[in-house]
Structure formats: C-alpha cells, structure tokens
Amino acid sequence: MRRNVNGCWNLGYCGMGCPTNAKQSMLVTTIPAALRLGACLLTHARAERFVLRGERIASLQVTALDAAGQAATGIELTLLAKHFVLAGGAINSPARHYTSWAQARQAIDALPYQALLARVVSAHVMKGCAMSDDARLGVCDALGRYRGLANLSVHDGSLFPTAIGANPQLSIYALAARLASSLARELTGKASPGFGADGDAAP
C-alpha cells in the first residue's frame, strides 16, 4: 500500500508528528484548504461538554488553554453552530458520549480491571462510534449522524466497526471527505468544492 507522504526523509518520527511535514496529515492538507475557503480555526482550546436542549446540541462549552496547550487559563468560551461534527478519533469522540470529562473519567474508573481480562494492542486505534444503518450495531448511521442528537455527526476513525488491519489514514480521509461533503450539501444545498453532486470526488 502506498504511504500518504510527499518527500519523506525516513526519519522514523511518523507517530510523533513529522518534523518535515512530509506526512500528508490534516495539518498540511485539510486544515489549510479549509482556511482558504473561509473556515475559522480555534487553537489552544479544549472542548469540555455539549449543552443539550432536548434532542439537539444547543452549544459547546470550551476552555481556553495556555500557550503550551495544556493548562486552563480560566477563560470559558461558548460555541454555537447549526451542526456539530466530532473528529476526535477513537478515544476522544466516544468520550463525548458523556456530558463532561469528569463523567467520562467516572465511567472509566468503574471498568473491571484485572490481569489478562482483555489483550489490547494497536498502533492505530479505531472504533468506538461504529456506523451502521442498523441501530443495534452502531451509534451512528451510514452518513455519520449520531443517533439521538439531531445536529451531531462523527467524521473520524471511530466510525469503523473494528480495526481495519492497515494504516487507516487514507481510509479515514476518504470516509471523512465523503461524509463532510454530504453534510455540507445537506446544510447548504450546494456541492462541496472538488466533489460532484452525489458527494463523490469529481473526475
């Protein structure tokens, strides 16, 4: 399988962040493209909890962080949106099932820990918010819409029903691009740049 790199120096730091930006991550592809199209990028901030109103998300509560991106500054932000998209990966997106990190931590602490209860080994963590048209098999439908909240979607590797057994970067990109294009078309009535009317990549 061809690696998603451009001018790799073979330094071996892929998993810690490519020091030469050869790895075609969202940092050098999707995010700059979104900014060119008018997106706003909020940095040094941590999403804390959704504020729910019935079966919709009314807002997202955010804590501003220091320059190192670690310590809270005491500044709280409230983000409003017509639709929210989770893209926190297989660890952070499932954690949003809880109304706060404290509640998520409480659930983790309640797990039964004992030696050899389960063997978990993965360099590429996936699943957690599985997608399926069958509600018994997935918390998200085939369009990445989160069941139970009308204005929430998930667009990341947590949608896979299990680990796919190979580096998932291109598969996650393809899935997220297709779902995001479909959602953008639904919300705006227009096809996304670079995609056809049906959400597939334009020839």
Side-chain angles (χ1 to χ4, degrees):
M1 175 184 290
R2 185 176 180 274
R3 293 171 58 227
N4 193 27
V5 296
N6 184 16
C8 178
W9 291 19
N10 294 312
L11 298 176
Y13 289 95
C14 309
M16 293 174 274
C18 178
T20 64
N21 283 337
K23 185 175 182 179
Q24 298 300 286
S25 68
M26 288 191 293
L27 179 65
V28 297
T29 56
T30 311
I31 291 174
L35 292 173
R36 284 194 298 273
L37 292 170
C40 178
L41 179 63
L42 183 63
T43 63
H44 297 97
R46 180 177 62 226
E48 296 288 353
R49 63 191 167 279
F50 288 125
V51 176
L52 305 181
R53 187 171 297 142
E55 294 186 355
R56 295 185 64 83
I57 298 171
S59 63
L60 173 64
Q61 298 302 118
V62 176
T63 297
L65 303 177
D66 63 9
Q70 296 180 348
T73 62
I75 298 172
E76 301 293 323
L77 307 171
T78 298
L79 300 184
L80 306 176
K82 182 189 297 186
H83 196 93
F84 292 85
V85 176
L86 280 176
I91 294 176
N92 290 308
S93 287
R96 296 291 91 197
H97 295 323
Y98 303 100
T99 56
S100 70
W101 284 113
Q103 190 184 55
R105 179 64 196 219
Q106 189 176 33
I108 292 169
D109 289 341
L111 292 172
Y113 292 104
Q114 68 184 61
L116 306 177
L117 182 64
R119 183 167 184 246
V120 179
V121 178
S122 178
H124 303 287
V125 183
M126 290 170 257
K127 63 188 275 186
C129 293
M131 63 188 298
S132 174
D133 278 336
D134 186 338
R136 297 170 301 172
L137 302 176
V139 297
C140 295
D141 65 18
L143 293 176
R145 302 295 289 260
Y146 186 85
R147 291 189 167 92
L149 290 171
N151 61 335
L152 177 65
S153 293
V154 179
H155 294 176
D156 62 29
S158 70
L159 290 171
F160 293 121
T162 187
I164 60 176
N167 187 319
Q169 185 182 29
L170 293 177
S171 298
I172 292 171
Y173 272 16
L175 179 63
R178 184 176 182 88
L179 295 178
S181 297
S182 175
L183 179 62
R185 188 174 62 252
E186 178 185 332
L187 295 176
T188 67
K190 299 182 289 187
S192 298
F195 287 83
D198 60 357
D200 289 328

